[in-house]
Amino acid sequence: MVRYHKQTRILVALDCIIFGFDGANLKLLLVQRGLEYEKGKWSLMGGFVQKDEDFEKGSARILKELTGLEGVYMEQLFAFGDVNRDPIERTVSVAYFALIDIHQYEKQINTDYHAEWFPIKNTPKLIFDHQKMVDMAKEKLRYKAAFHPILFELLPEKFTLPQLQSLYEGIFDSQFDKRNFSRKLQSTKLLIKQKDKDKESSKKGAYYYKLDKRRYAANFHAFLNLIPNPGNLK
Protein backbone atom coordinates (compact mmCIF):
# COMPACT_ATOMS: atom_id res chain seq x y z
CA MET A 1 0.00 0.00 0.00
CA VAL A 2 1.40 3.36 -1.04
CA ARG A 3 1.31 6.00 1.70
CA TYR A 4 2.61 9.52 2.15
CA HIS A 5 5.74 9.17 4.24
CA LYS A 6 6.53 11.22 7.33
CA GLN A 7 3.03 12.75 7.45
CA THR A 8 0.95 13.09 10.61
CA ARG A 9 -2.41 11.32 10.63
CA ILE A 10 -5.23 13.62 11.73
CA LEU A 11 -8.80 12.71 12.67
CA VAL A 12 -11.63 14.32 10.71
CA ALA A 13 -14.90 15.01 12.52
CA LEU A 14 -18.25 16.28 11.27
CA ASP A 15 -20.45 18.61 13.32
CA CYS A 16 -24.07 19.41 12.45
CA ILE A 17 -25.61 22.77 13.33
CA ILE A 18 -29.38 22.43 13.07
CA PHE A 19 -31.53 25.54 13.38
CA GLY A 20 -35.28 25.08 13.66
CA PHE A 21 -38.38 27.28 13.61
CA ASP A 22 -41.49 26.28 15.55
CA GLY A 23 -43.78 29.02 14.28
CA ALA A 24 -42.76 31.48 16.95
CA ASN A 25 -39.08 31.09 17.84
CA LEU A 26 -35.80 30.23 16.17
CA LYS A 27 -34.10 27.35 18.00
CA LEU A 28 -30.92 25.27 18.01
CA LEU A 29 -30.86 21.47 18.31
CA LEU A 30 -28.30 20.12 20.79
CA VAL A 31 -27.38 16.75 22.30
CA GLN A 32 -25.50 15.66 25.39
CA ARG A 33 -22.02 14.42 24.52
CA GLY A 34 -21.67 10.65 24.80
CA LEU A 35 -17.85 10.41 24.76
CA GLU A 36 -15.49 10.78 27.66
CA TYR A 37 -14.05 14.22 28.37
CA GLU A 38 -16.95 16.65 28.63
CA LYS A 39 -19.32 13.67 28.61
CA GLY A 40 -22.89 14.71 29.34
CA LYS A 41 -22.31 18.35 28.41
CA TRP A 42 -24.24 20.05 25.64
CA SER A 43 -22.82 19.68 22.18
CA LEU A 44 -23.59 19.91 18.50
CA MET A 45 -24.26 16.60 16.76
CA GLY A 46 -20.79 15.32 15.96
CA GLY A 47 -18.80 12.23 15.07
CA PHE A 48 -15.88 10.97 13.03
CA VAL A 49 -15.82 10.33 9.30
CA GLN A 50 -15.59 6.63 8.46
CA LYS A 51 -13.07 5.45 5.87
CA ASP A 52 -15.80 4.36 3.44
CA GLU A 53 -17.97 7.52 3.43
CA ASP A 54 -17.79 11.07 2.13
CA PHE A 55 -18.61 14.13 4.25
CA GLU A 56 -22.26 14.39 3.12
CA LYS A 57 -23.03 10.74 3.92
CA GLY A 58 -21.13 10.98 7.17
CA SER A 59 -22.99 14.06 8.38
CA ALA A 60 -26.34 12.46 7.49
CA ARG A 61 -25.38 9.28 9.37
CA ILE A 62 -24.24 11.18 12.46
CA LEU A 63 -27.40 13.30 12.54
CA LYS A 64 -29.62 10.22 12.30
CA GLU A 65 -27.67 8.28 14.95
CA LEU A 66 -27.76 11.10 17.50
CA THR A 67 -31.18 12.64 16.90
CA GLY A 68 -33.22 10.34 14.63
CA LEU A 69 -33.47 13.07 11.99
CA GLU A 70 -33.08 12.04 8.36
CA GLY A 71 -33.76 13.59 4.99
CA VAL A 72 -32.46 16.96 6.20
CA TYR A 73 -30.66 19.06 3.60
CA MET A 74 -27.40 20.36 5.07
CA GLU A 75 -24.90 22.79 3.64
CA GLN A 76 -21.19 22.75 4.36
CA LEU A 77 -20.16 25.74 6.45
CA PHE A 78 -16.44 25.72 7.25
CA ALA A 79 -13.50 23.56 8.33
CA PHE A 80 -12.31 24.25 11.88
CA GLY A 81 -8.69 23.24 12.35
CA ASP A 82 -7.23 25.05 15.35
CA VAL A 83 -4.43 22.87 16.68
CA ASN A 84 -5.85 22.68 20.22
CA ARG A 85 -9.57 22.70 19.41
CA ASP A 86 -9.99 19.13 20.71
CA PRO A 87 -8.03 18.46 23.94
CA ILE A 88 -7.98 14.69 23.39
CA GLU A 89 -6.43 14.35 19.94
CA ARG A 90 -5.62 16.51 16.92
CA THR A 91 -8.96 16.72 15.09
CA VAL A 92 -10.19 18.82 12.20
CA SER A 93 -13.95 19.38 12.11
CA VAL A 94 -15.97 20.07 8.99
CA ALA A 95 -19.20 21.79 10.04
CA TYR A 96 -22.55 21.58 8.28
CA PHE A 97 -25.67 23.64 8.98
CA ALA A 98 -29.34 23.38 8.18
CA LEU A 99 -32.59 25.23 8.83
CA ILE A 100 -35.77 23.16 9.27
CA ASP A 101 -39.42 23.40 10.23
CA ILE A 102 -39.47 21.84 13.70
CA HIS A 103 -43.07 20.62 13.36
CA GLN A 104 -42.24 18.80 10.14
CA TYR A 105 -39.55 16.74 11.86
CA GLU A 106 -40.66 16.61 15.50
CA LYS A 107 -41.90 13.00 15.29
CA GLN A 108 -38.43 11.84 14.16
CA ILE A 109 -36.56 13.18 17.18
CA ASN A 110 -35.38 10.45 19.55
CA THR A 111 -34.12 10.92 23.09
CA ASP A 112 -31.22 8.44 23.17
CA TYR A 113 -28.75 11.32 23.43
CA HIS A 114 -31.19 13.76 25.02
CA ALA A 115 -31.64 15.74 21.80
CA GLU A 116 -33.33 18.99 22.76
CA TRP A 117 -34.32 22.26 21.09
CA PHE A 118 -33.11 25.46 22.77
CA PRO A 119 -34.20 29.04 21.94
CA ILE A 120 -31.35 30.61 20.01
CA LYS A 121 -31.14 33.42 22.59
CA ASN A 122 -30.92 31.01 25.51
CA THR A 123 -28.53 28.20 24.61
CA PRO A 124 -26.34 26.48 27.22
CA LYS A 125 -22.55 26.56 27.20
CA LEU A 126 -21.18 24.27 24.48
CA ILE A 127 -18.08 22.09 24.41
CA PHE A 128 -14.85 22.85 22.57
CA ASP A 129 -15.29 25.44 19.79
CA HIS A 130 -18.93 24.62 19.08
CA GLN A 131 -20.15 28.10 20.02
CA LYS A 132 -17.79 29.52 17.41
CA MET A 133 -19.36 27.19 14.87
CA VAL A 134 -22.86 28.30 15.85
CA ASP A 135 -21.94 31.99 15.62
CA MET A 136 -20.47 31.52 12.16
CA ALA A 137 -23.54 29.55 11.06
CA LYS A 138 -25.82 32.35 12.26
CA GLU A 139 -23.90 34.86 10.17
CA LYS A 140 -24.16 32.61 7.11
CA LEU A 141 -27.85 32.14 7.77
CA ARG A 142 -28.41 35.90 7.94
CA TYR A 143 -26.66 36.35 4.63
CA LYS A 144 -28.73 33.64 2.97
CA ALA A 145 -31.96 34.97 4.46
CA ALA A 146 -31.21 38.46 3.14
CA PHE A 147 -30.06 37.50 -0.33
CA HIS A 148 -31.56 34.09 -1.05
CA PRO A 149 -35.20 32.93 -0.84
CA ILE A 150 -34.78 30.13 1.70
CA LEU A 151 -37.08 30.99 4.58
CA PHE A 152 -40.32 29.69 3.10
CA GLU A 153 -38.89 26.19 3.32
CA LEU A 154 -39.36 26.52 7.09
CA LEU A 155 -42.98 27.49 7.10
CA PRO A 156 -46.12 25.36 6.81
CA GLU A 157 -48.24 25.73 3.69
CA LYS A 158 -50.39 28.32 5.48
CA PHE A 159 -48.70 30.90 7.71
CA THR A 160 -49.38 34.31 9.22
CA LEU A 161 -47.44 37.52 8.72
CA PRO A 162 -46.54 37.61 12.44
CA GLN A 163 -45.04 34.14 12.08
CA LEU A 164 -42.95 35.25 9.13
CA GLN A 165 -41.84 38.37 10.98
CA SER A 166 -40.89 36.30 14.05
CA LEU A 167 -38.73 34.10 11.83
CA TYR A 168 -36.89 37.09 10.35
CA GLU A 169 -36.47 38.67 13.79
CA GLY A 170 -35.05 35.45 15.21
CA ILE A 171 -32.52 35.10 12.43
CA PHE A 172 -31.41 38.74 12.48
CA ASP A 173 -31.75 39.15 16.26
CA SER A 174 -33.57 42.44 15.69
CA GLN A 175 -37.04 43.88 16.08
CA PHE A 176 -38.79 45.09 12.91
CA ASP A 177 -41.60 47.62 12.74
CA LYS A 178 -44.78 45.59 12.32
CA ARG A 179 -46.54 47.93 9.88
CA ASN A 180 -43.46 48.52 7.76
CA PHE A 181 -42.64 44.83 7.59
CA SER A 182 -46.22 43.95 6.65
CA ARG A 183 -46.29 46.68 4.00
CA LYS A 184 -43.10 45.39 2.41
CA LEU A 185 -44.43 41.85 2.38
CA GLN A 186 -47.69 42.93 0.74
CA SER A 187 -45.79 44.94 -1.88
CA THR A 188 -44.08 41.78 -3.18
CA LYS A 189 -47.48 40.51 -4.43
CA LEU A 190 -46.23 36.97 -3.87
CA LEU A 191 -48.55 36.13 -0.98
CA ILE A 192 -52.14 34.93 -1.31
CA LYS A 193 -54.41 35.97 1.55
CA GLN A 194 -56.68 33.21 2.87
CA LYS A 195 -60.18 33.52 4.32
CA ASP A 196 -59.42 31.82 7.63
CA LYS A 197 -57.48 33.12 10.60
CA ASP A 198 -55.11 31.85 13.25
CA LYS A 199 -56.95 32.68 16.48
CA GLU A 200 -54.61 30.92 18.91
CA SER A 201 -52.23 33.87 19.22
CA SER A 202 -54.83 36.60 19.79
CA LYS A 203 -58.58 37.12 20.05
CA LYS A 204 -58.67 39.15 16.86
CA GLY A 205 -56.63 36.58 15.01
CA ALA A 206 -54.26 36.93 12.07
CA TYR A 207 -55.13 35.96 8.53
CA TYR A 208 -53.32 33.04 7.00
CA TYR A 209 -51.37 33.45 3.78
CA LYS A 210 -50.02 31.09 1.20
CA LEU A 211 -47.06 31.59 -1.08
CA ASP A 212 -47.96 32.02 -4.75
CA LYS A 213 -45.44 29.42 -5.90
CA ARG A 214 -45.77 30.20 -9.59
CA ARG A 215 -45.11 33.92 -9.11
CA TYR A 216 -42.48 33.14 -6.52
CA ALA A 217 -40.51 30.95 -8.92
CA ALA A 218 -40.52 33.72 -11.51
CA ASN A 219 -39.98 36.67 -9.17
CA PHE A 220 -38.44 35.47 -5.91
CA HIS A 221 -36.06 38.44 -5.82
CA ALA A 222 -39.03 40.57 -4.73
CA PHE A 223 -38.38 39.32 -1.19
CA LEU A 224 -34.76 40.33 -1.19
CA ASN A 225 -35.51 43.95 -0.29
CA LEU A 226 -37.13 43.07 3.03
CA ILE A 227 -33.78 43.44 4.80
CA PRO A 228 -31.95 46.18 2.88
CA ASN A 229 -28.90 46.35 5.16
CA PRO A 230 -28.58 42.99 6.95
CA GLY A 231 -25.06 43.65 8.22
CA ASN A 232 -25.99 46.79 10.15
CA LEU A 233 -29.34 46.33 11.87
CA LYS A 234 -28.43 47.32 15.44
Side-chain angles (χ1 to χ4, degrees):
M1 179 179 177
V2 178
R3 298 175 68 93
Y4 294 108
H5 294 293
K6 299 181 180 179
Q7 297 301 314
T8 303
R9 307 299 162 184
I10 299 176
L11 293 174
V12 178
L14 297 167
D15 286 295
C16 306
I17 306 157
I18 309 298
F19 297 110
F21 185 64
D22 63 2
N25 298 293
L26 186 67
K27 296 184 176 181
L28 178 67
L29 184 62
L30 301 173
V31 294
Q32 289 183 300
R33 180 173 165 85
L35 300 177
E36 285 301 335
Y37 195 84
E38 306 284 28
K39 184 175 181 179
K41 294 188 177 181
W42 291 106
S43 164
L44 296 171
M45 285 62 65
F48 296 105
V49 180
Q50 303 302 305
K51 64 180 181 179
D52 59 347
E53 65 185 3
D54 58 28
F55 290 171
E56 284 71 25
K57 289 182 180 178
S59 59
R61 171 185 56 80
I62 290 167
L63 187 64
K64 184 177 180 180
E65 288 177 355
L66 298 185
T67 68
L69 289 175
E70 57 184 332
V72 175
Y73 170 78
M74 290 189 288
E75 183 175 330
Q76 191 175 125
L77 175 67
F78 193 74
F80 294 82
D82 289 352
V83 175
N84 298 315
R85 62 168 303 276
D86 190 321
I88 299 177
E89 193 170 348
R90 179 71 200 279
T91 305
V92 171
S93 177
V94 179
Y96 281 75
F97 80 102
L99 189 60
I100 66 174
D101 176 358
I102 290 177
H103 296 308
Q104 182 179 348
Y105 290 91
E106 61 187 346
K107 292 182 180 180
Q108 289 186 19
I109 295 286
N110 65 40
T111 58
D112 292 347
Y113 290 87
H114 306 282
E116 186 174 337
W117 289 104
F118 288 88
I120 199 66
K121 292 184 177 181
N122 190 29
T123 56
K125 183 178 180 180
L126 303 179
I127 66 168
F128 305 163
D129 55 355
H130 287 194
Q131 187 61 53
K132 182 178 179 181
M133 295 180 183
V134 172
D135 292 341
M136 184 178 290
K138 286 194 295 185
E139 288 301 316
K140 184 66 176 289
L141 184 59
R142 288 170 183 171
Y143 170 82
K144 292 184 72 68
F147 299 107
H148 299 274
I150 66 169
L151 297 190
F152 288 96
E153 301 299 326
L154 297 175
L155 296 167
E157 184 180 5
K158 293 195 306 182
F159 53 87
T160 66
L161 298 188
Q163 284 178 332
L164 186 55
Q165 182 170 340
S166 292
L167 176 56
Y168 271 92
E169 289 179 340
I171 289 174
F172 289 99
D173 192 20
S174 296
Q175 297 293 315
F176 300 129
D177 180 76
K178 182 178 179 180
R179 290 185 179 181
N180 191 42
F181 190 84
S182 178
R183 178 181 58 79
K184 286 186 175 182
L185 282 173
Q186 301 285 8
S187 69
T188 66
K189 299 181 179 180
L190 300 183
L191 301 181
I192 303 172
K193 189 175 182 179
Q194 306 299 294
K195 295 182 179 179
D196 52 333
K197 289 184 175 183
D198 170 23
K199 294 187 177 181
E200 292 184 5
S201 301
S202 65
K203 292 182 179 179
K204 184 179 180 180
Y207 280 104
Y208 283 111
Y209 286 80
K210 286 185 177 182
L211 182 66
D212 188 327
K213 294 183 179 179
R214 187 168 62 177
R215 286 189 175 184
Y216 179 66
N219 193 29
F220 69 81
H221 62 272
F223 276 105
L224 305 187
N225 293 323
L226 283 176
I227 313 295
N229 191 13
N232 188 29
L233 291 176
K234 295 183 178 181

